[in-house]
């Protein structure tokens, strides 16, 4: 069951799969991610809250501020309810964009692969998660609110993008090695060589890229760990759902084509 269809067919298939994947990722993010974000925001707000003066100092402070001790507090630009709605919007848009890119990659990958359409879709989803999510995550894991210096956000973003490029390069090199050794008589060589090539490229990149550790000593280690695990789970859900949905739509299209061909005979 090869991956067939025009680029338009695959693009529509990718958008549908991306829509499903984005919605599922949004549900997972809401269920397992939002509680950790709320906890991190509570920590950030408690750390930023001014200490309430007492006794004589309280009267002095009140007189100095014109009788108001909370006048400098600022409301967030977007409420938490608005942010939760934006979460679903963001994951849905990300799923659609990812689905379109996924379809484009699948359109060209089928020319150099002998895998069936569904297996190719699942393989591309796994490799995409490995390159775009796993490689960056294990070098620069996600941090919750209240972690990180705002002044270094641009530098951290560029370093994260560098790890994405690193992951893509490592997967591309491993795929090239696997293609060159596809006719090798030893199965162990066909498995070990691409894996070794991937690990060498990633390991070298990890050594070259600088380390970043802006987690304060007072931040709860359990909350940090749970946030990172939930972040990894959300991204895994996005890629897994994308691959499964695209594979299902591929099978469905193949069966529909087979039925139509049988009717025309």
């Amino acid at each position: 069951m090869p991956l067939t269809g025009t680029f338009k067919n695959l693009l529509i298939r990718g958008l549908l799969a991306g829509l499903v994947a984005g919605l599922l990722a949004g549900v997972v993010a809401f269920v397992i991610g939002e509680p950790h974000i709320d906890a991190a925001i509570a920590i950030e707000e408690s750390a930023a809250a001014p200490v309430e003066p007492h006794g004589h100092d309280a009267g002095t402070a009140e007189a100095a501020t014109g009788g108001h001790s909370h006048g400098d507090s600022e409301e967030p630009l977007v409420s938490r309810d608005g942010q939760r709605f934006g979460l679903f919007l963001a994951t849905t848009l990300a799923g659609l964009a990812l689905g379109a890119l996924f379809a484009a990659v699948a359109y060209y990958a089928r020319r150099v692969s002998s895998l069936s359409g569904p297996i190719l879709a699942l393989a591309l989803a796994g490799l995409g998660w490995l390159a775009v999510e796993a490689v960056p995550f294990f070098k620069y894991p996600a941090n919750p609110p209240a972690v990180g210096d705002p002044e270094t956000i641009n530098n951290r973003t560029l370093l994260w993008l560098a790890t994405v490029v690193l992951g893509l390069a490592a997967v591309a090199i491993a795929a090239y090695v696997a293609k060159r050794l596809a006719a090798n008589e030893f199965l162990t060589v066909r498995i070990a060589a691409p894996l070794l090539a991937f690990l060498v490229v990633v390991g070298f990149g990890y050594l070259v890229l600088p380390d970043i550790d802006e987690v304060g000593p007072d931040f709860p280690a359990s909350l940090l760990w749970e946030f990172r695990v939930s972040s990894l789970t959300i991204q895994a859900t996005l890629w897994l759902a994308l691959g499964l949905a695209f594979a299902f739509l591929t099978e469905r299209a193949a069966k529909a084509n087979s039925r139509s061909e049988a009717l025309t005979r």
Side-chain angles (χ1 to χ4, degrees):
M1 187 186 299
L3 182 62
T4 59
T6 64
F7 180 77
K8 180 181 178 180
N9 296 142
L10 297 184
L11 179 60
I12 294 174
R13 196 178 304 171
L15 290 173
L16 288 175
L19 177 62
V20 173
L23 290 174
L24 285 176
V27 171
V28 173
F30 181 80
V31 173
I32 71 171
E34 281 296 303
H36 301 136
I37 294 178
D38 288 337
I41 290 175
I43 293 175
E44 183 179 28
E45 290 177 347
S46 64
V51 178
E52 190 72 24
H54 300 280
H56 175 73
D57 293 335
T60 304
E62 184 175 355
T65 57
H68 297 282
S69 60
H70 54 276
D72 295 333
S73 61
E74 296 181 359
E75 293 295 329
L77 295 177
V78 181
S79 67
R80 286 295 292 142
D81 289 337
Q83 291 173 13
R84 292 185 181 96
F85 172 78
L87 168 67
F88 283 95
L89 179 62
T91 57
T92 301
L93 292 177
L96 289 171
L98 190 59
L101 291 174
F102 189 87
V105 172
Y107 178 78
Y108 291 102
R110 67 181 181 180
R111 301 180 181 181
V112 296
S113 174
S114 59
L115 297 175
S116 67
I119 298 300
L120 178 61
L122 293 175
L124 289 177
L127 292 175
W129 174 83
L130 185 64
V132 179
E133 299 299 337
V135 171
F137 179 87
F138 288 106
K139 179 62 178 178
Y140 302 122
N143 288 327
V147 173
D149 184 357
E151 295 183 357
T152 64
I153 188 170
N154 291 333
N155 184 50
R156 286 184 280 123
T157 301
L158 291 175
L159 290 175
W160 178 82
L161 290 175
T163 57
V164 172
V165 174
L166 172 65
L168 292 172
V171 167
I173 291 173
Y176 175 78
V177 172
K179 187 69 175 178
R180 292 297 299 265
L181 297 177
N184 192 283
E185 60 179 321
F186 296 104
L187 176 62
T188 52
V189 173
R190 298 200 301 270
I191 294 176
L195 179 60
L196 180 62
F198 175 83
L199 293 176
V200 168
V201 174
V202 172
F204 178 77
Y206 278 9
L207 290 175
V208 171
L209 293 171
D211 294 330
I212 296 178
D213 185 9
E214 296 184 350
V215 181
D218 297 332
F219 195 87
S222 60
L223 177 58
L224 179 65
W225 168 255
E226 290 169 358
F227 178 87
R228 289 176 173 177
V229 170
S230 65
S231 176
L232 193 62
T233 303
I234 293 165
Q235 297 302 326
T237 300
L238 179 65
W239 284 94
L240 179 60
L242 176 63
L244 287 174
F246 196 92
F248 170 77
L249 293 173
T250 297
E251 284 188 308
R252 185 172 179 271
K255 291 184 181 297
N257 290 336
S258 298
R259 286 194 294 267
S260 61
E261 290 176 1
L263 292 175
T264 57
R265 291 177 183 174

